[in-house]
Amino acid sequence: MKTQEEILEINKKQKEFYNHKKKNLPTRIWSFVRERTLKQIRRDIGILNQSYDIHKVWFGDLSNKKVLDLGCHAGNYWSRYLAQNSREYIGLDLSDIGIATLAKNIAEFPNAKAIAADFLSDTDFPDKDFDIIYAYGVLHHFQNVDLLISKLNEKLAPGGVIISYDPLETSLPIKMIRMLYRPFQSDKDWEWPFSRSTYRKFAKAFNIKERRGVLGTAKWYFIVNLLPISEEKKKAIGANWHRQDWEKSANSDSHLFSCMQLTMLMEKRP
C-alpha cells in the first residue's frame, strides 16, 4: 500500500495527466467505448438525471453549510449550484488549468473560491470543518483507502457528510474486462474502482445513510438495443431494469455488488 509521500508524488503525475489529457491509444479507445455505451445508456434510461437529483436532495439546505467540491476539475454538474447557495464553497482539484476555468465560472459568488492543491497535503490545503464534501467520481482515485478515510474524517465537521459517486469493480464480467485493460491504461496509478473490501472500509468508518447502485441488470441494456423492437419498448425495458437496480441496491449487498457504479451519502460518526 502506498504511503502518503508516495501518493503525493503520484498525484503530481495525475495533475500533469489532467492538465494535458495525454492518453495513450488503449485509454483513448476505452474512453470512446465508455462514452458511446455507458454514458449513452445512462442518458437513455434516466440514470444520469436520477443520480444528480438525489445528490441535490442529499445536499439539503446549503445556506449555512461549508462545502468542499473535491476533485471537481473545471466544475461538475452541481459546482455552480453549490457555489451559489452554500455559506462557503471551495472547489478543489489538482489541475491548475481546470481550477482556473472554475474560478472564472464562480467569480460572481463572493462566498466561493477555487483552489489548485492536493487534498492530502496539509501544507497546500489546511482547510477543514466542512459540512459537505461532494466527491463526484473522485474517491476511487486513492489507492490507500485507509489514508483517504482518515483525511476525510479530519476535514469533516462534526455531523458532516460525504456525497460520492464512484465505479465498482465487484461484478465479475466488469472485473475481467478491467483486468484485461489495466496493463495498458494511462491512468492506472490513480484509478482504483471500489472492491467489496473498499466499500466495507467506508461502511465501517462512516454511517452510510443511503446508497444506490446503478448499471446492475441495466448494464445489459446494450443487448436490448440490438433487438428488432421499437425504441420506446427498448427504453421501457431499460428503465425497468434501472428501477430494480436503484431500489434493490439500497438494501441488498448482492445486488449492489452486481452494479457498475455506486453513489453514497455517508455521515461522519460521533
Side-chain angles (χ1 to χ4, degrees):
M1 191 68 68
K2 295 285 193 301
T3 65
Q4 180 169 344
E5 290 71 23
E6 289 172 323
I7 294 173
L8 289 171
E9 286 301 312
I10 289 173
N11 284 351
K12 292 178 182 177
K13 297 178 183 178
Q14 187 176 176
K15 173 183 176 179
E16 185 70 13
F17 178 85
Y18 285 111
N19 269 344
H20 303 292
K21 300 293 180 72
K22 292 182 178 179
K23 299 179 181 180
N24 61 20
L25 182 59
T27 304
R28 291 199 301 271
I29 293 172
W30 174 266
S31 298
F32 176 79
V33 171
R34 185 175 58 196
E35 290 290 323
R36 294 295 295 271
T37 55
L38 294 186
K39 284 202 172 181
Q40 190 59 50
I41 290 172
R42 292 197 297 167
R43 292 188 187 98
D44 282 354
I45 58 181
I47 293 175
L48 271 178
N49 287 339
Q50 190 167 21
S51 298
Y52 290 141
D53 289 347
I54 200 171
H55 291 172
K56 187 176 182 181
V57 172
W58 290 348
F59 293 152
D61 181 3
L62 292 166
S63 60
N64 197 36
K65 291 178 180 176
K66 182 178 181 180
V67 176
L68 174 62
D69 197 356
L70 179 60
C72 58
H73 199 252
N76 53 56
Y77 185 89
W78 286 120
S79 292
R80 272 185 61 86
Y81 175 82
L82 292 169
Q84 181 177 12
N85 292 284
S86 59
R87 172 176 58 84
E88 183 178 352
Y89 168 90
I90 296 177
L92 180 72
D93 197 88
L94 292 168
S95 171
D96 47 357
I97 293 176
I99 284 297
T101 300
L102 177 64
K104 292 178 182 177
N105 289 339
I106 62 173
E108 64 194 274
F109 308 124
N111 60 311
K113 59 184 176 181
I115 298 175
D118 194 316
F119 177 66
L120 296 179
S121 173
D122 295 327
T123 54
D124 291 349
F125 187 65
D127 296 72
K128 56 180 60 178
D129 295 324
F130 291 99
D131 300 295
I132 296 175
I133 295 178
Y134 187 48
Y136 189 89
V138 177
L139 300 186
H140 70 283
H141 284 203
F142 297 81
Q143 181 190 14
N144 190 329
V145 178
D146 297 322
L147 175 61
L148 171 61
I149 287 172
S150 175
K151 185 61 66 173
L152 288 167
N153 265 315
E154 177 189 322
K155 297 295 187 181
L156 281 172
V161 300
I162 303 160
I163 297 169
S164 64
Y165 192 107
D166 290 279
L168 285 166
E169 196 178 56
T170 53
S171 168
L172 184 58
I174 301 306
K175 187 171 184 177
M176 292 177 66
I177 291 170
R178 284 190 174 276
M179 284 176 63
L180 293 172
Y181 163 61
R182 188 168 182 82
F184 310 100
Q185 186 177 352
S186 297
D187 51 354
K188 62 179 180 292
D189 287 342
W190 52 85
E191 283 283 335
W192 304 96
F194 281 19
S195 64
R196 286 174 172 82
S197 173
T198 304
Y199 170 79
R200 289 177 182 131
K201 285 186 176 184
F202 278 101
K204 183 178 180 181
F206 301 99
N207 174 25
I208 299 182
K209 301 190 68 168
E210 194 170 348
R211 70 182 195 191
R212 301 286 176 168
V214 299
L215 294 172
T217 307
K219 65 177 168 284
W220 305 112
Y221 177 70
F222 74 94
I223 296 176
V224 175
N225 270 331
L226 303 175
L227 299 178
I229 57 178
S230 68
E231 289 298 315
E232 184 178 351
K233 288 183 178 179
K234 290 177 184 177
K235 290 183 179 181
I237 292 170
N240 182 54
W241 284 353
H242 166 58
R243 184 172 59 255
Q244 293 180 40
D245 291 339
W246 192 257
E247 294 172 355
K248 291 181 179 180
S249 62
N251 300 300
S252 166
D253 282 358
S254 61
H255 200 91
L256 176 69
F257 292 142
S258 75
C259 294
M260 292 182 64
Q261 295 166 352
L262 162 70
T263 187
M264 294 189 287
L265 173 63
M266 299 181 281
E267 183 180 51
K268 183 175 182 175
R269 293 189 185 276

